[in-house]
Amino acid sequence: GLLTPKAAKMLVGALREQHPDTVIHVHTHDTAGAGVASQLAAAEAGADVVDAAMDAMSGMTSQPSLGALIANVRGTDISTAFDMANIGPLNNYWENVRQMYAPFESGQLSGSSDVYFHEIPGGQYTNLLFQSRQLGLTDRWPQI
């Protein structure tokens, strides 16, 4: 979730310029809420593959929303072959599955731009937040 749109454009653009025939695959999380914008910038700069997650499983410390990425590239030079009519039922399935695992969620309810300050990777962020909640330390989260 540390990748910003500006950094994605610079990084992928430089890689594409130096390595025009190499496949560029970009992976990021959406911890700060900028994942869709960052992946769009990466794709526009020449990335061949950008990671995303089904909408029901996306956001926060997961990957950016697949549906949002598909919708934002529709009708552009980087449009995908995904059909949103086929994505909807899959998203509905995962929405229901996710509800069964709700007790295991970290408790994070929104994006967190403080990741740009402390630079904790998504998986570690979720784990640390969950542990702080179990210990009753969420009021001290900024200090942790």
Side-chain angles (χ1 to χ4, degrees):
L2 299 174
L3 187 64
T4 64
K6 180 180 177 182
K9 182 178 179 180
M10 288 173 46
L11 175 63
V12 173
L15 287 169
R16 179 57 62 218
E17 185 177 317
Q18 294 295 314
H19 306 282
D21 299 322
T22 300
V23 174
I24 299 174
H25 183 153
V26 179
H27 177 87
T28 191
H29 295 250
D30 199 23
T31 310
V36 170
S38 296
Q39 293 295 53
L40 287 171
E44 290 168 352
D48 300 289
V49 179
V50 295
D51 287 345
M54 291 301 301
D55 296 354
M57 305 296 271
S58 69
M60 296 180 285
T61 57
S62 182
Q63 283 68 54
S65 161
L66 178 63
L69 285 168
I70 294 169
N72 277 279
V73 300
R74 186 180 303 129
T76 70
D77 293 341
I78 57 173
S79 185
T80 71
F82 285 105
D83 182 347
M84 288 301 289
N86 294 329
I87 299 291
L90 289 171
N91 187 59
N92 186 54
Y93 170 80
W94 287 111
E95 185 76 36
N96 289 313
V97 169
R98 187 168 185 174
Q99 290 301 316
M100 292 188 297
Y101 290 91
F104 303 102
E105 295 271 349
S106 70
Q108 185 180 3
L109 300 176
S110 65
S112 183
S113 60
D114 63 346
V115 71
Y116 293 124
F117 173 72
H118 54 63
E119 299 184 348
I120 300 173
Q124 290 177 330
Y125 187 94
T126 305
N127 188 37
L128 190 58
L129 179 60
F130 183 74
Q131 289 180 35
S132 72
R133 286 193 191 286
Q134 288 181 319
L135 295 170
L137 299 173
T138 52
D139 60 323
R140 295 175 53 195
W141 179 247
Q143 298 166 332
I144 296 172

